[in-house]
Amino acid sequence: MIKAKNLLTFKTGKLDSNAAQEGGIYPFFTCSQETYQINSFAFDTECVLLAGNNATGVFPLKYYKGKFNAYQRTYIIEPKNGDSLDIRYLYYYFRPLLTAFQQQATGATTKFLTLKILNNLDVMVPQLESQKKIAAILSTYDDLIENNKRRITILENMAEEIYREWFVRFRFPGYQDAEFEKGIPKGWNYEKLEDVCVVIKRGVSPKYSDEAGRLVINQKCIRDGRIDLSKARRHDSKVPEEKYIQYADALINSTGVGTLGRVSIVEFHPMKITIDSHVTICRADEKKIAPIYLATTVSNLQSYFEFMASGSTGQVELNRSLIAGIKVLVPKRELMIEFSSEINAIFEQKQTLQKINDNLAKTKEELLPRLISGKLSVENLDIQFPPNMQEEGAAL
């Protein structure tokens, strides 16, 4: 073991967090999990980046190699002797320490990860070749996960393009023979959401319990059009059946600054998962509209929802009447069914990829402490290093 102060240098960036420039050509690292862009760089190196403050004490950790810039509370961590320490190994070494950082951080409103905490860390430093092998094994898992994430994004773009092609541009199957009235195909009509839904309701105010077996989705779970169950909390409350989510429900963040109006579709078949009172379920009446079609339509209304806030400062809200009164286009049933079949297949592919990623992430997290501690020896393993371990601009 070597003390971090004897092994590493801890620099910080010089910029304010609002220095980001949309469309910039270099990464800009702040204390956010998201990586921003900027048009100037102050660093050109291979390093580990660690947030120095965070409201919740969850400090984002990243690896990067190349030109970048950084916020003044972001640590740029490099070895004092690059010939004895692999940077990717260091990144993975820090990963299990994030929980300890959260506990050790100082401050009330904002948690600070001080230089004193970092300098006093003990770092295990095996032979350089072993470090590289450990990094290569774990990096391979990350590469597989990222590749599947890209495939999921492609599938999401496909689904959105099909929707826009069919129901915005009206280039649906057989459109060449369609007649139009008042700007829409004949036989189509506009209906209020309340007239084509069986449920437009907010969730429950649950009794939270870490020991409970059931999950409740909150507004933090709804991001980038997806439902992140890792951020769901556990509860032990009685819940009406209609407030358990179902496949093809649309979930809308209905209160809260910063998350208001976000929409996600339930693309999996859940078991007794509910939502809290900050989220609204929008569920189709299958006799009137195809559920997947309706959920996709509501999802495409997200930008509209984001401008529909009402209420006093600090309590923005999308109330039921605002959501229920929105009119949506209702095509002919056979076209909605055909669309649903296309999108259902995409949802299934996405869920398959997500399950693979969950298994990969679980396996990697189980391997990481065993590799780092030396309990799982890599000395005699013949490791093929992945290409990204040599690439400029590589990031984790």
Side-chain angles (χ1 to χ4, degrees):
M1 290 284 191
I2 302 176
K3 286 290 183 184
K5 63 183 178 182
N6 297 322
L7 182 69
L8 306 171
T9 63
F10 297 93
K11 302 174 185 176
T12 58
K14 303 296 182 185
L15 302 178
D16 291 334
S17 59
N18 60 5
Q21 297 169 289
E22 188 173 352
I25 58 177
Y26 303 109
F28 178 48
F29 296 101
T30 67
C31 290
S32 169
Q33 187 60 55
E34 184 177 354
T35 299
Y36 299 100
Q37 292 80 42
I38 198 167
N39 283 321
S40 62
F41 72 91
F43 303 91
D44 184 4
T45 187
E46 181 182 17
C47 64
V48 172
L49 297 120
L50 177 63
N53 65 7
N54 188 279
T56 61
V58 178
F59 302 104
L61 177 74
K62 301 171 186 177
Y63 161 91
Y64 191 75
K65 181 181 179 182
K67 297 180 175 69
F68 65 92
N69 223 320
Y71 166 55
Q72 58 190 347
R73 286 295 304 171
T74 298
Y75 289 110
I76 296 97
I77 307 172
E78 298 174 275
K80 290 184 176 180
N81 181 0
D83 294 333
S84 63
L85 186 62
D86 182 80
I87 307 298
R88 285 177 183 263
Y89 167 81
L90 183 65
Y91 164 77
Y92 288 113
Y93 188 87
F94 268 79
R95 285 285 296 276
L97 300 176
L98 295 177
T99 301
F101 289 160
Q102 189 174 18
Q103 296 168 350
Q104 296 171 24
T106 61
T109 305
T110 300
K111 297 294 183 181
F112 291 93
L113 188 57
T114 64
L115 193 58
K116 181 179 179 181
I117 294 171
L118 297 175
N119 274 328
N120 285 324
L121 286 174
D122 291 317
V123 182
M124 182 179 290
V125 185
Q127 293 295 317
L128 185 60
E129 187 65 19
S130 293
Q131 295 178 40
K132 291 182 178 294
K133 288 181 178 181
I134 291 169
I137 292 169
L138 297 172
S139 182
T140 297
Y141 279 91
D142 281 332
D143 290 347
L144 291 170
I145 291 170
E146 286 304 313
N147 184 53
N148 284 337
K149 285 181 178 179
R150 286 191 287 269
R151 293 170 66 186
I152 288 172
T153 299
I154 290 170
L155 289 168
E156 290 171 342
N157 292 340
M158 285 173 56
E160 183 175 352
E161 182 59 24
I162 292 171
Y163 179 86
R164 292 188 179 280
E165 185 74 357
W166 290 22
F167 305 114
V168 177
R169 304 183 191 105
F170 298 132
R171 296 175 65 88
F172 49 86
Y175 76 94
Q176 299 92 337
D177 302 320
E179 297 180 37
F180 283 73
E181 289 182 345
K182 298 181 179 179
I184 61 174
K186 190 174 182 179
W188 300 24
N189 56 79
Y190 285 98
E191 299 283 354
K192 290 183 179 179
L193 278 176
E194 64 184 352
D195 294 328
V196 294
C197 289
V198 291
V199 176
I200 302 177
K201 290 185 177 180
R202 289 195 191 169
V204 299
S205 298
K207 178 183 177 183
Y208 293 113
S209 171
D210 292 338
E211 287 73 40
R214 290 176 292 173
L215 295 176
V216 57
I217 290 171
N218 55 61
Q219 65 264 53
K220 293 181 181 178
C221 299
I222 298 174
R223 187 180 181 89
D224 299 326
R226 301 168 187 165
I227 299 173
D228 182 0
L229 291 180
S230 71
K231 299 185 183 302
R233 297 182 65 183
R234 297 187 178 278
H235 77 104
D236 187 16
S237 306
K238 291 184 179 179
V239 177
E241 281 296 322
E242 66 183 9
K243 293 190 178 184
Y244 284 119
I245 63 173
Q246 298 179 9
Y247 180 69
D249 281 349
L251 307 183
I252 308 166
N253 278 350
S254 301
T255 68
V257 177
T259 64
L260 184 73
R262 290 179 184 171
V263 183
S264 290
I265 301 172
V266 180
E267 299 178 3
F268 53 93
H269 294 274
M271 294 294 290
K272 297 296 183 181
I273 299 174
T274 190
I275 55 173
D276 72 12
S277 58
H278 300 286
V279 181
T280 297
I281 294 178
C282 189
R283 180 175 301 152
D285 182 341
E286 296 187 41
K287 296 178 181 178
K288 298 178 179 179
I289 197 166
I292 289 179
Y293 168 77
L294 177 70
T296 308
T297 298
V298 172
S299 179
N300 276 272
L301 289 170
Q302 176 167 308
S303 60
Y304 179 62
F305 286 134
E306 291 172 341
F307 288 99
M308 288 177 63
S310 66
S312 60
T313 302
Q315 186 56 45
V316 290
E317 179 181 7
L318 289 174
N319 61 47
R320 186 191 183 281
S321 62
L322 284 172
I323 296 172
I326 294 174
K327 289 187 175 182
V328 296
L329 186 62
V330 182
K332 289 185 177 180
R333 174 162 289 275
E334 57 268 25
L335 187 61
M336 288 192 292
I337 291 173
E338 186 175 351
F339 171 78
S340 297
S341 178
E342 295 267 355
I343 302 306
N344 186 63
I346 289 175
F347 285 176
E348 288 179 357
Q349 291 179 66
K350 285 177 61 180
Q351 291 306 305
T352 297
L353 290 170
Q354 188 57 57
K355 287 178 181 177
I356 292 171
N357 269 7
D358 290 343
N359 289 332
L360 287 169
K362 181 180 178 181
T363 302
K364 189 192 76 171
E365 292 306 315
E366 290 173 350
L367 279 174
L368 194 153
R370 297 179 65 199
L371 289 168
I372 294 294
S373 67
K375 289 182 180 179
L376 184 59
S377 176
V378 298
E379 186 177 347
N380 297 320
L381 294 180
D382 183 14
I383 301 295
Q384 183 176 359
F385 296 106
N388 74 356
M389 290 188 72
Q390 307 298 328
E391 292 175 359
E392 184 76 8
L396 290 172

